[in-house]
Amino acid sequence: MRIYSGERLCSKCFTKSIEDKVKATIARNRMFKPDDRIAVAVSGGKDSTTLLHIMTKFEKLFPKASLCAVTVDEGIRGYRDEAVRLASEYCQRSGVEHFITSFKDLFDVRLDEMVALLKDKVRTSNEALSPCAYCGVLRRRALNVVARQAKADKLALAHNLDDEVQTILLNIMHGDAPRIARVKPVLGESHPMFVPRVKPICEVLEKEIAFYAYLRKTEFQSTPCPYAPTAMRNDIRQMLNRLEEKHAGTKYTVFRSVEKIRPALEAAEKETFLHACKVCGEPTVGETCKPCEMLRKIGAK
Ligand code: SF4
Ligand code: ZN
């Protein structure tokens, strides 16, 4: 039973309801053109394998569209290796072209090595530098680069409703109004080197994605990242789950609230112009891009 709506669904109707919801999100936000080449970011977890499965179903309805998968190996021993293997096997079975890149290839340093450098840094400064902060910024860059290599018109991310609401609350806690406005289903960047990002499952609850994957008997990686407990996002997740249990529909309420205030936030934001980072040449608002700044801070190349 769906507590927030009161619906009682059999497994067939449940599966259809998820696919209909994704279809509606795609249509309402005009995410794709009929001849788009779409790169799905696949990590090997339940969300991204589910998104790839749904997108392969939809692709059949659009003969001019083409689909591929992109994966970033951050370099987390005992965690990402297995996920990359599962992602590759899944793509092979589904007949989807698969592009893989890694932090090592792009930045010459694995996340595990960065974490060791971060520990040294924390000992010598007061700055709070977390593995997830590095991982998030560098993964966004890596996904953009690999999607460009795959010649994709759109990069489809498997952010579910829980992810989006957690990000909204984290941005509120940091008082970051422009970033609150940027938590939205389509992020079309105004620079030719950016591949526009879309989030087709952003209105589906995480537990419903998990149930959809369970019904399909999808094999996905379920062990959590060893660095996850250090992230504040983890505590926000638990808090939101407690709230949702007590007040069903809370997550949708937060998501819809941001939809209402986004026009005001966007209107207050100054127009920014992008140019090439003086170190790596990727587009950025400042002189040096965030990934280059972060890598310099820990003494990596
Ligand atoms: Fe990266 Fe943090 Fe996610 Fe682990 S939990 S994959 S370090 S963002
Ligand atoms: Zn740079």
Side-chain angles (χ1 to χ4, degrees), residues 230-249:
T230 64
M232 190 190 274
R233 181 179 284 274
N234 215 29
D235 298 301
I236 302 270
R237 171 184 289 121
Q238 287 169 12
M239 180 191 81
L240 277 165
N241 285 345
R242 277 200 304 273
L243 271 173
E244 183 74 34
E245 219 170 276
K246 215 168 162 189
H247 309 281

Side-chain angles (χ1 to χ4, degrees), residues 2 41 48 65 79 82 99 115 121 128 131 136 139 166 172-173 184 187-189 207-208 213 221 232 238 256 284 292:
R2 235 177 216 151
S48 58
Y79 168 69
E82 192 206 351
F99 297 81
V115 174
K121 197 78 195 162
R139 187 175 46 227
Q166 289 155 20
I172 289 174
M173 287 171 79
K184 57 183 179 179
L187 261 180
E189 302 283 359
K207 69 175 181 191
E208 297 207 339
Q221 199 203 27
M232 190 190 274
Q238 287 169 12
R256 299 284 175 232
T284 176
C292 285

Side-chain angles (χ1 to χ4, degrees), residues 3 41 51-52 74 86 90 115 120-122 135 137 143 167-168 179 186 207 212 230 282-283 295:
I3 298 172
L51 174 62
L52 184 60
E74 297 93 343
L86 287 170
Y90 191 84
V115 174
D120 290 346
K121 197 78 195 162
V122 167
C135 186
V137 168
L143 280 172
T167 307
I168 289 166
R179 278 182 185 272
V186 176
K207 69 175 181 191
Y212 182 100
T230 64
E282 290 287 327
L295 291 168

Side-chain angles (χ1 to χ4, degrees), residues 69-85:
V70 291
T71 296
V72 175
D73 179 353
E74 297 93 343
I76 305 172
R77 198 175 297 283
Y79 168 69
R80 196 46 100 204
D81 326 343
E82 192 206 351
V84 172
R85 177 183 60 76

Side-chain angles (χ1 to χ4, degrees), residues 141 276-284 287-293 295:
R141 165 61 55 80
C277 164
K278 66 178 185 188
V279 180
C280 69
E282 290 287 327
T284 176
E287 279 202 359
T288 313
C289 71
K290 188 108 197 227
C292 285
E293 257 176 40
L295 291 168

